[in-house]
Amino acid sequence: MGADKDLAVHCRGVLKTYGTGEAMVTALQGVDLEVRQGELMMLVGPSGCGKTTLISVMAGILDQSDGDCRVFGQDLMHLRNHAKLAFRARNIGFVFQAYNLLPTLTAAENVTVPLLINGMGRKEALKKAEQVLEQVGLGARTRSLPSQLSGGQQQRVAIARAIIHEPRLIVCDEPTSALDHETGHKVMELLKGIALRRDRTLVIVTHDARIFEFADRIAEMDDGRVIRIVTNSSQLH
Amino acid sequence: MYRIALKMLMGDRGKYLGIIMGLTFASLIMTQQPAIFVGLIMRSYSFITDLGLPDIWVMDPEVQWVDDIKPLQDTELYRVRGVAGVAWAMPLYKGLLKARLPNGMFQTCIVVGLDDATLVGGPPRMVEGRLADLRRADAVIIDIDGAREKLSQPPAVPGGKRIELKIGDTLELNDHRAVIAGFSKNTRTILSQPVLYTTYSRAKQFAPRERKMLSFILAKAKPGEALADLTRRIRTTTGLAAYSREEFMGVTFRYFLKNTGIPINFGVSVMLGFIVGAAIAGQTFYSFTRENLRQFGVLKAMGTSNWTLLRMILLQATLVGMIGYGLGVGLTSLFGWAMRNTILAFKFPWYLLLFSGIGVTLICAFAALISIRRVITLEPAVVFKS
């Protein structure tokens, strides 16, 4: 029971199918996975193995077809829609491969979005956004539009957006794949240095072997299943 | 979140302007065309509205509208005067006659013959001269627009100013001399013919000889007399048609609606404006939403409710609707102002603002609805697709 308390994510037999009948595709075929609080877990595997589907289920933006997935002890699938939205808004941060910043908002305004969703006033949110942007090294670019920033800078804005509301779980989808090696490394250092805390968990989906060294554990997936969990990338094929 | 919605909308300048242009166009067409229609329709009964004094118009029962003259015998006047509740009743001649201008050209005019003694039925406003001047020999009063336009003479030198008629000038009506004694300001008629006022007896001299010459009988109800009761009494007593001013305007208006292509032509224009506006604005708004689906997906993934997204889209639709509506109505007003001294029929009453407002609201609601449906059904997991 005490071990359960330390778990950020607890998946048991998670099954996810898309479509019906002959067109049915099984994306997850009974995934068992535990992610501990304060841990940086990477999900790796070939394209189409179900990594993105799994983090979507963990983040509560996709319901599994069967099985049990609890995030900080909360069964998101059985939450009412409103409660699920509120849970997501408070507890989950997102970092995307394509950054997904709103192009017409400045860096600071983009960072305020999670706070505004949680009901904070605009002025207060902007003040906090500027502080967080300072933390990620973009204090001088708060008024820049995404199009005026480099890829690495945009990803740093995305990281600031992911952490500003102090979520307990951050899910990242290929956060470095659009970046060169050096920038990718810096982004990972930032994620590990600022985003990761004892009470905050990071789950990162990646193909990028260059960043495996940052992981506490790596879950390798294939064909909709977690086939192994290792603590060192050298243990992977 | 509303600020974000507005920034999303205005950030895409091309689409933002496209939507507004579509709505402006729709709003313009939905106000300008009906304004011309209303202007024309009001001109169809302007002869009635210009005659403020009488309460009741009496005529042949077969008359369908104000220019559809079916003359009565002069004796009918006395029968109407004899109906209980009638304070007074006066004859009115109305007919189309060709006037020969000083330069030898002809122009068809509406000739109105007023009761010789009282001159009831005269023009609404005199610009020059007095109504009583009609009592002078061969006198006529001409509406000022007609005098300046259709009755004016070509310039003396090429490129010069047209020569307007002036008091004392003469015209020839059916070989009879008519002397201009004054100018009046009238509401233009639907065919914009010049209007000539004269006395009833003189009008009968001007007009070709017929057995019946009395076009209308203008009557006034005694104080306290209900118009509906009096018109009914006149109808039953005389067998003639009797309408209050408003009823006769309605008769004329309905005749135009039923028997001319004007409503259909304008209706088609308005409908086209609505459809084209809806198509442009709806399609552009939908395409704007589609292009922003990923952004809506991001907001959804981060915990924004469908209700909030719906309000964001409604705000966007409301803003572009208000701007487009304002610009369209503004352009229509500008058009009306620019055309104020021309022959163009243009009336812009408040109910056209309401009409086009409803039209633009429907377009925006349609545009928002198709966009909202797309956003509501959007799977937030779309954000993980690269």
Side-chain angles (χ1 to χ4, degrees):
Chain A
M1 201 63 194
D4 269 7
K5 271 187 174 177
D6 291 338
L7 286 181
V9 182
H10 186 180
C11 294
R12 279 284 169 272
V14 172
L15 181 85
K16 178 65 189 176
T17 57
Y18 295 104
T20 52
E22 287 186 6
M24 190 167 80
V25 176
T26 305
L28 299 177
Q29 306 197 52
V31 169
D32 296 326
L33 182 68
E34 289 176 355
V35 187
R36 290 188 286 270
Q37 291 190 32
E39 182 179 36
L40 194 159
M41 162 76 83
M42 284 189 188
L43 296 178
V44 301
S47 295
C49 71
K51 306 184 295 289
T52 301
T53 301
L54 183 57
I55 58 164
S56 298
V57 171
M58 285 179 189
I61 57 177
L62 206 59
D63 286 334
Q64 68 269 32
S65 310
D66 199 8
D68 186 41
C69 185
R70 289 171 189 273
V71 181
F72 301 109
Q74 192 74 58
D75 179 7
L76 295 184
M77 192 170 86
H78 293 105
L79 275 184
R80 290 172 72 99
N81 193 41
H82 188 73
K84 194 194 285 189
L85 282 171
F87 181 87
R88 227 157 55 204
R90 272 197 311 271
N91 297 297
I92 316 279
F94 294 89
V95 178
F96 308 102
Q97 178 183 1
Y99 324 129
N100 285 343
L101 300 174
L102 304 187
T104 53
L105 303 188
T106 64
E109 286 169 335
N110 263 293
V111 175
T112 61
V113 171
L115 296 178
L116 298 177
I117 292 171
N118 280 300
M120 187 183 277
R122 187 173 167 272
K123 274 189 181 169
E124 196 184 344
L126 268 175
K127 203 171 159 189
K128 192 163 180 200
E130 282 168 10
Q131 289 167 1
V132 178
L133 280 169
E134 189 77 48
Q135 271 183 292
V136 299
L138 288 173
R141 306 303 301 269
T142 56
R143 287 168 195 269
S144 300
L145 292 172
S147 58
Q148 296 165 329
L149 300 172
S150 68
Q153 287 173 325
Q154 288 189 57
Q155 198 59 297
R156 280 194 273 165
V157 175
I159 291 168
R161 181 177 65 180
I163 63 174
I164 192 165
H165 56 305
E166 314 259 329
R168 296 163 71 194
L169 171 68
I170 296 176
V171 291
C172 311
D173 184 36
E174 307 275 7
T176 59
S177 66
L179 306 172
D180 60 60
H181 175 68
E182 193 186 332
T183 313
H185 222 79
K186 281 181 182 166
V187 162
M188 281 311 299
E189 278 169 358
L190 199 63
L191 275 171
K192 188 136 191 179
I194 292 175
L196 192 62
R197 290 192 324 215
R198 210 158 59 83
D199 60 344
R200 188 183 289 152
T201 305
L202 260 73
V203 178
I204 299 175
V205 165
T206 186
H207 275 107
D208 190 352
R210 298 169 304 182
I211 63 167
F212 287 172
E213 61 185 277
F214 290 94
D216 294 321
R217 287 194 301 155
I218 301 171
E220 186 180 6
M221 291 185 71
D222 194 16
D223 203 17
R225 288 191 182 89
V226 174
I227 53 170
R228 87 179 75 201
I229 296 174
V230 298
T231 51
N232 191 317
S233 60
S234 61
Q235 294 170 284
L236 294 170
H237 291 298
Chain B
M1 297 306 287
Y2 297 126
R3 186 181 278 262
I4 290 175
L6 297 182
K7 281 209 154 190
M8 280 170 78
L9 175 70
M10 293 174 190
D12 189 344
R13 282 289 156 88
K15 290 226 157 41
Y16 177 54
L17 294 177
I19 300 165
I20 287 177
M21 268 176 60
L23 291 169
T24 302
F25 173 77
S27 169
L28 172 68
I29 298 293
M30 283 190 290
T31 46
Q32 188 248 18
Q33 288 292 304
I36 295 175
F37 172 70
V38 170
L40 275 177
I41 287 297
M42 288 177 89
R43 282 187 183 182
S44 73
Y45 51 71
S46 64
F47 185 75
I48 306 169
T49 50
D50 272 3
L51 263 75
L53 203 52
D55 297 328
I56 294 168
W57 290 65
V58 184
M59 64 206 78
D60 186 280
E62 299 301 317
V63 168
Q64 298 182 77
W65 64 297
V66 68
D67 281 354
D68 179 31
I69 308 293
K70 295 192 170 59
L72 308 167
Q73 286 187 338
D74 280 357
T75 51
E76 300 290 4
L77 175 65
Y78 304 109
R79 294 182 69 204
V80 173
R81 281 179 178 163
V83 175
V86 173
W88 50 255
M90 301 298 165
L92 186 85
Y93 172 83
K94 182 171 187 283
L96 288 174
L97 297 180
K98 276 187 180 168
R100 189 170 185 214
L101 308 180
N103 65 354
M105 302 283 283
F106 286 92
Q107 169 64 50
T108 304
C109 301
I110 297 171
V111 174
V112 182
L114 314 177
D115 175 59
D116 290 44
T118 61
L119 299 178
V120 162
R125 189 162 68 89
M126 291 299 294
V127 175
E128 208 177 336
R130 296 172 308 130
L131 184 60
D133 293 340
L134 278 184
R135 296 202 174 93
R136 292 183 189 167
D138 302 330
V140 292
I141 288 171
I142 302 180
D143 83 277
I144 191 78
D145 294 320
R148 284 178 181 158
E149 294 161 10
K150 293 189 172 166
L151 293 175
S152 65
Q153 296 173 73
V157 287
K161 222 178 140 190
R162 288 183 72 86
I163 304 163
E164 293 175 13
L165 290 174
K166 56 186 186 302
I167 289 179
D169 284 350
T170 59
L171 302 170
E172 218 175 83
L173 286 163
N174 207 15
D175 291 335
H176 292 276
R177 180 174 173 268
V179 182
I180 297 167
F183 295 104
S184 63
K185 180 66 187 169
N186 294 38
T187 309
R188 284 180 191 269
T189 58
I190 193 150
L191 295 176
S192 290
Q193 292 126 330
V195 182
L196 266 77
Y197 291 92
T198 188
T199 59
Y200 183 71
S201 57
R202 202 175 298 133
K204 287 204 294 188
Q205 290 169 15
F206 290 154
R209 195 76 204 141
E210 285 182 63
R211 197 166 62 87
K212 299 175 183 176
M213 299 290 281
L214 178 61
S215 308
F216 296 104
I217 299 166
L218 307 177
K220 184 85 177 171
K222 282 183 176 165
E225 189 71 39
L227 283 186
D229 292 343
L230 185 56
T231 50
R232 199 179 312 117
R233 212 174 301 136
I234 293 173
R235 280 197 293 271
T236 50
T237 311
T238 64
L240 300 171
Y243 303 112
S244 68
R245 210 161 73 109
E246 285 69 27
E247 283 172 343
F248 194 29
M249 281 158 58
V251 167
T252 300
F253 171 70
R254 281 190 292 279
Y255 176 85
F256 262 77
L257 286 190
K258 277 187 195 164
N259 296 289
T260 71
I262 294 172
I264 293 173
N265 289 333
F266 280 95
V268 167
S269 294
V270 171
M271 190 52 76
L272 270 178
F274 179 82
I275 291 170
V276 173
I280 296 173
Q283 200 274 334
T284 320
F285 195 80
Y286 179 63
S287 137
F288 159 77
T289 309
R290 264 187 62 176
E291 281 179 18
N292 284 297
L293 272 183
R294 179 174 279 269
Q295 295 172 33
F296 283 117
V298 169
L299 295 174
K300 231 174 167 178
M302 287 179 176
T304 308
S305 66
N306 277 338
W307 172 236
T308 304
L309 293 175
L310 183 144
R311 283 183 297 169
M312 287 170 73
I313 293 172
L314 281 180
L315 174 70
Q316 291 171 335
T318 305
L319 179 80
V320 291
M322 282 169 67
I323 295 174
Y325 172 70
L327 286 175
V329 165
L331 285 174
T332 298
S333 304
L334 203 64
F335 174 84
W337 182 80
M339 296 289 156
R340 66 194 183 287
N341 291 325
T342 67
I343 199 165
L344 187 90
F346 185 91
K347 279 279 170 196
F348 197 10
W350 64 268
Y351 52 81
L352 286 189
L353 288 174
L354 189 69
F355 171 74
S356 64
I358 291 170
V360 170
T361 305
L362 284 176
I363 293 174
C364 290
F366 162 72
L369 201 70
I370 52 174
S371 299
I372 285 166
R373 194 176 157 273
R374 192 73 201 256
V375 171
I376 299 288
T377 55
L378 176 71
E379 197 62 62
V382 71
V383 291
F384 286 128
K385 288 180 184 153
S386 53

